């Protein structure tokens, strides 16, 4: 019954995604769902940004081992990322009416900054999407009781997600996110009710976790405890703001207010629901301490699936694995789409500026297939846990792409020279410390040092007399190397910090 339900659920998901794909007529529909999504769907798709394999399997396993202190990056950092993105970035980026976050870097700075930041963003998705594919393999392996190996499960899962994402793009992703969010929330609450009955209630589990020190959040009052804690927190909180999937979900909204509210609501709901898998996994250690103690040593990611399979009725198993598949598929589809769209728009179309909209649409689809192949190969050969894959994903964007975005929006003196100085200094500092910082990395996380170096270098570079390049122009279109296809013709408001004598808009029919 369980295997039959999983097959049926996957078929229904593919069908919904392919039906939504029939409404995709151009690259704007494919990349940002035509900028027409209402608040409920925007909230659902923002929620699905993070509620994937790492939330259900990764965070829960990490919490059982290390307590709240171990999950500072996610859900604390990741949920704050979505809330901060809504409060401080959504309205400004939405007004610019762009296709990708990489377009911002070109308009605000130049083509070089666009390429460097886009490559950093695309690279960051390798670990993130691989974590989702790895989780799909684990689910198929558990559900079939080993009949399907984890490797084969990864291949099957990647093929399923690839099918509807390739044809339907963001529109299919958004529709499925709404359906799957309903399944996730209902399923997780039901499972929580069932499991609490096995442990003597929610209060008993919380009290046991408190006595075991699992609810201690802040580290001890020591320098070498607080610095790594802050480094882990800001990696997800700030490093994931300059991301194409976050940008896509925000800018798919029907208007600016919906973009802001959807991002804040989605981040808040995610934070609350991330505690449900943690509660479930910790409950397992009370239900059967010996068996789950062994699992923690062997593969902590199996704690929650094993609890469900061995200690709940078949209905609860169906609901749980339906919710788990929903979470993984909704997350993996969008995170597969995002880097592919960014690479197509900001790397390929920059080299082929006169590409038609139809050719660009098919280019994005081909890139999705290629990126899926790379991700699958990485997932099959990586020994990292799901949680570590996700946590490591956003280090490169933290040290490279955050300050050019943040200072570019809020500091009018930020310029191309400063952005390049920040990117090069932040990235090189991080890489050098990762490889040669043994002995220091336990106290000073390399990404935190790279982040601080990037900020200092960008400010200094922007204030110095111009040595590299030229000042950021008053008119952003001066750095625009390739035109939008006809279907994307639009007027782009100039960011608030630009001042000029014109009407305050850019005619997108001019060369980009």
């Amino acid at each position: 019954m369980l295997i039959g339900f999983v097959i049926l659920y996957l078929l229904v998901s593919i069908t919904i995604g392919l039906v939504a794909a029939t409404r995709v007529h151009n690259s704007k529909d494919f990349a940002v769902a035509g900028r027409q999504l209402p608040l409920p769907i925007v909230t659902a798709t923002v929620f699905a940004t993070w509620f994937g394999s790492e939330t259900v399997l990764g965070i829960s396993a990490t919490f059982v081992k290390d307590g709240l202190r171990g999950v500072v990056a996610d859900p604390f950092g990741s949920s704050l990322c979505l809330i901060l993105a809504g409060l401080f970035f959504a309205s400004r980026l939405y007004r610019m009416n762009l296709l990708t976050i990489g377009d911002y870097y070109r308009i605000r700075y130049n083509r070089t900054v666009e390429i460097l930041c886009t490559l950093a963003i695309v690279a960051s998705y390798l670990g993130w999407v691989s974590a989702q594919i790895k989780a799909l393999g684990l689910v198929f392996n558990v559900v079939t009781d080993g009949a399907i190996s984890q490797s084969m499960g990864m291949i099957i899962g990647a093929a399923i997600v690839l099918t509807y994402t390739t044809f339907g793009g963001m529109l299919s992703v958004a529709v499925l996110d709404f359906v799957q969010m309903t399944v996730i929330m209902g399923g997780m609450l039901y499972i929580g009710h069932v499991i609490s009955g096995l442990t003597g209630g929610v209060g008993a589990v919380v009290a046991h976790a408190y006595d075991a020190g699992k609810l201690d959040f802040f580290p001890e009052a020591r320098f070498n405890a607080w610095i790594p804690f802050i480094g882990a927190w800001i990696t997800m909180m700030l490093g994931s703001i300059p991301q194409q999937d976050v940008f896509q979900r925000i800018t798919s909204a029907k208007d600016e207010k919906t973009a802001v509210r959807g991002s804040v609501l989605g981040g808040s709901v995610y934070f609350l629901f991330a505690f449900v898998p943690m509660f479930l996994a910790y409950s397992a250690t009370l239900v059967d301490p010996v068996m789950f103690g062994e699992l923690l040593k062997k593969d902590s990611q199996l704690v929650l699936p094993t609890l469900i399979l061995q200690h709940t009725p078949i209905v609860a198993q169906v609901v749980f694995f339906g919710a788990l598949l929903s979470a993984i598929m909704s997350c993996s589809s969008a995170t597969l789409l995002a880097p592919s769209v960014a690479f197509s728009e900001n790397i390929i179309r920059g080299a082929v500026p006169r590409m038609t909209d139809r050719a660009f649409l098919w280019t994005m689809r081909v890139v999705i297939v290629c990126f899926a192949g790379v991700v699958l190969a990485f997932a099959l050969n990586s020994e990292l846990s799901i949680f570590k894959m996700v946590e490591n994903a956003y280090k490169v964007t933290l040290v490279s792409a955050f300050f050019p975005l943040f200072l570019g929006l809020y500091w009018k003196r930020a310029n191309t020279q400063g952005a390049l100085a920040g990117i090069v200094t932040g990235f090189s500092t991080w890489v050098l410390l990762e490889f040669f910082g043994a002995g220091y990395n336990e106290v000073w996380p390399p990404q935190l040092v790279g982040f601080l170096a990037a900020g200092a270098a960008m400010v200094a570079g922007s204030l110095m007399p111009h040595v590299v390049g030229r000042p950021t122009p008053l008119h952003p279109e001066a750095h625009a190397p390739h035109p939008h296809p006809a279907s994307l013709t639009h007027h782009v408001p100039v960011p608030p910090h630009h001042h000029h004598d014109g009407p305050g808009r850019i005619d997108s029919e001019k060369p980009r």
Side-chain angles (χ1 to χ4, degrees):
M1 180 178 174
L2 181 58
I3 296 174
F5 171 79
V6 168
I7 294 172
L8 177 62
Y9 181 81
L10 294 174
L11 290 174
V12 170
S13 296
I14 292 173
T15 302
I16 293 173
L18 293 179
V19 169
T22 61
R23 299 182 60 185
V24 174
H25 305 297
N26 53 53
S27 53
K28 187 175 181 181
D29 290 341
F30 188 84
V32 290
R35 290 170 65 98
Q36 60 184 348
L37 301 182
L39 181 60
I41 295 184
V42 174
T43 302
T45 196
V46 168
F47 169 83
T49 304
W50 297 123
F51 206 99
S53 62
E54 78 293 343
T55 310
V56 181
L57 302 176
I59 292 176
S60 60
T62 304
F63 171 74
V64 171
K65 291 190 296 183
D66 304 323
L68 284 182
R69 201 171 292 161
V71 295
V72 59
D74 193 4
F76 290 92
S78 54
S79 57
L80 273 173
C81 156
L82 298 174
I83 294 170
L84 292 175
L87 293 176
F88 299 105
F89 295 87
S91 60
R92 291 174 180 243
L93 292 174
Y94 189 90
R95 275 181 236 137
M96 296 181 73
N97 200 12
L98 306 171
L99 189 69
T100 68
I101 189 70
D103 288 344
Y104 169 81
Y105 293 107
R106 182 187 66 253
I107 290 173
R108 182 62 177 86
Y109 303 107
N110 67 0
R111 172 75 174 147
T112 304
V113 176
E114 173 192 18
I115 291 174
L116 292 175
C117 289
T118 298
L119 290 176
I121 290 167
V122 170
S124 72
Y125 280 97
L126 183 61
W128 175 259
V129 187
S130 296
Q132 313 310 313
I133 300 302
K134 193 167 187 176
L136 284 171
L138 187 147
V139 171
F140 284 123
N141 178 257
V142 170
V143 167
T144 60
D145 198 22
I148 296 178
S149 67
Q150 288 199 30
S151 297
M152 182 55 64
M154 290 183 205
I155 296 171
I156 295 171
I160 291 169
V161 173
L162 184 63
T163 299
Y164 66 80
T165 308
T166 302
F167 288 99
M170 190 61 198
L171 198 57
S172 289
V173 168
V175 172
L176 273 171
D177 280 350
F178 183 72
V179 174
Q180 291 166 336
M181 181 182 175
T182 305
V183 175
I184 292 167
M185 296 179 76
M188 286 295 169
L189 289 175
Y190 171 72
I191 295 296
H193 172 71
V194 172
I195 296 300
S196 65
L198 300 175
T199 58
V202 176
V205 177
V206 173
H208 191 281
Y210 177 81
D211 292 337
K214 300 297 183 182
L215 301 185
D216 295 337
F217 179 64
F218 293 107
E220 299 174 17
R222 291 185 292 109
F223 185 79
N224 59 358
W226 270 93
I227 296 299
F229 180 80
I230 293 171
W233 196 335
I234 69 166
T235 298
M236 290 284 279
M237 182 174 68
L238 301 182
S240 50
I241 287 178
Q243 284 295 334
Q244 177 60 21
D245 62 327
V246 174
F247 173 86
Q248 254 175 212
R249 294 167 191 269
I250 290 172
T251 54
S252 296
K254 65 179 182 178
D255 55 48
E256 187 179 321
K257 286 185 178 180
T258 301
V260 174
R261 292 170 181 170
S263 184
V264 174
L265 282 174
S268 302
V269 173
Y270 170 74
F271 179 75
L272 295 175
F273 263 82
F275 284 92
V276 178
M278 286 191 264
F279 166 79
L280 296 177
Y282 194 79
S283 297
T285 62
L286 304 184
V287 173
D288 193 336
V290 176
M291 184 184 74
F292 288 109
E294 291 298 316
L295 272 181
L296 280 175
K297 297 176 183 177
K298 179 183 176 184
D299 187 353
S300 59
Q301 294 166 161
L302 290 172
V303 168
L304 191 47
T306 304
L307 169 70
I308 301 302
L309 283 174
Q310 297 191 7
H311 294 278
T312 63
I314 187 66
V315 174
Q317 294 175 29
V318 167
V319 170
F320 172 78
F321 285 102
L324 179 56
L325 281 171
S326 293
I328 298 171
M329 290 172 64
S330 62
C331 191
S332 57
S333 57
T335 49
L336 185 61
L337 175 68
S340 305
V341 170
F343 189 84
S344 302
E345 160 74 357
N346 301 113
I347 305 297
I348 296 178
R349 200 153 67 89
V352 189
R354 298 296 173 182
M355 188 185 302
T356 65
D357 185 64
R358 181 175 177 80
F360 180 55
L361 177 59
W362 281 101
T363 297
M364 286 191 284
R365 286 172 169 158
V366 170
V367 171
I368 287 175
V369 174
C370 295
F371 189 72
V374 173
V375 164
L376 180 60
F378 183 78
L380 289 169
N381 293 285
S382 176
E383 298 297 325
L384 290 174
S385 69
I386 291 171
F387 186 82
K388 283 298 178 185
M389 276 185 169
V390 172
E391 189 179 22
N392 291 336
Y394 296 110
K395 292 179 179 179
V396 64
T397 45
L398 177 72
V399 301
S400 303
F402 176 77
F403 278 113
L405 174 63
F406 175 66
L407 293 179
L409 285 173
Y410 284 97
W411 189 39
K412 64 182 179 181
R413 296 193 65 177
N415 58 36
T416 301
Q417 177 175 276
L420 289 172
I423 293 168
V424 173
T425 303
F427 181 80
S428 56
T429 301
W430 168 60
V431 170
L432 286 172
L433 287 176
E434 284 283 2
F435 287 98
F436 304 109
Y440 297 97
N441 292 356
E442 291 182 5
V443 178
W444 283 96
Q447 75 273 17
L448 177 59
V449 180
F451 170 76
L452 297 174
M458 183 166 179
V459 171
S462 296
L463 295 175
M464 286 174 60
H466 274 270
V467 178
V468 178
R470 58 187 181 185
T472 303
L474 295 178
H475 294 278
E477 68 266 31
H479 280 314
H482 51 274
H484 269 302
S487 66
L488 292 179
T489 297
H490 53 265
H491 292 291
V492 183
V494 176
H497 51 266
H498 290 293
H499 301 283
H500 56 86
D501 298 327
R505 291 183 178 273
I506 303 170
D507 186 351
S508 66
E509 293 180 356
K510 295 178 182 178
R512 295 177 65 205

